[in-house]
Amino acid sequence: MKDSIVQNKSFDFAVSAIKICQYLTETRREFVISKQFAKSATSIGANIREARRGQSPADFVAKLSISLKEAEESRYWIELLVATEYISSGEAQLMIEKCDELIKMLSSIIKTMRDKNPSPQNNS
């Protein structure tokens, strides 16, 4: 997974999320949601990086599954920021698209890995 597309996209997503959070805390004085968003958005790439050093295919899938969960959580925070009018739906659109792309990519990688390396837990 050396310099993989998903790793690069997750890094780009994290940078964009941090910039949004900086904007929110500096201009709109919103701290709670933006902190949660920053944590989940930056965790996606961190877990992808950690997966690269997975001890086994199962460990790799487990780390990517955490990344997928964090991507889903990040999407929730973006939706909540829009619903509470901290950011407009227009401002959020690109982040939602980036997040959805990460979700699709991670889901696909996880499915492929599980298909290649079936375990008894995956068959139940």
Side-chain angles (χ1 to χ4, degrees):
M1 209 164 106
K2 182 178 158 190
D3 286 341
S4 73
I5 293 171
V6 71
Q7 182 176 319
N8 293 338
K9 287 184 179 286
S10 67
F11 187 84
D12 178 56
F13 181 76
V15 169
S16 297
I18 290 168
K19 288 179 180 180
I20 288 173
C21 294
Q22 286 174 330
Y23 166 76
L24 289 171
T25 56
E26 291 170 2
T27 61
R28 302 209 181 162
R29 305 203 189 288
E30 197 297 311
F31 303 101
V32 177
I33 300 169
S34 59
K35 271 194 170 186
Q36 292 294 328
F37 176 46
K39 286 179 184 181
S40 63
T42 57
S43 182
I44 299 166
N47 280 290
I48 290 170
R49 286 266 179 108
E50 195 173 336
R52 292 177 59 201
R53 302 284 183 214
Q55 297 173 353
S56 67
D59 188 36
F60 180 80
V61 168
K63 297 297 183 208
L64 289 187
S65 295
I66 293 168
S67 289
L68 178 59
K69 289 177 185 181
E70 295 293 342
E72 291 285 1
E73 181 180 338
S74 294
R75 194 175 199 299
Y76 171 79
W77 294 123
I78 296 167
E79 292 170 4
L80 193 57
L81 286 166
V82 171
T84 56
E85 299 178 358
Y86 280 110
I87 59 175
S88 70
S89 56
E91 291 172 308
Q93 189 57 40
L94 181 58
M95 288 301 288
I96 289 172
E97 289 171 10
K98 288 180 179 185
C99 194
D100 287 347
E101 184 176 22
L102 284 169
I103 289 167
K104 288 176 187 173
M105 292 174 81
L106 289 164
S107 296
S108 177
I109 295 167
I110 292 166
K111 181 183 181 325
T112 299
M113 288 300 295
R114 285 184 175 154
D115 289 348
K116 284 183 179 179
N117 301 290
S119 70
Q121 295 169 340
N122 291 342
N123 295 330
S124 47

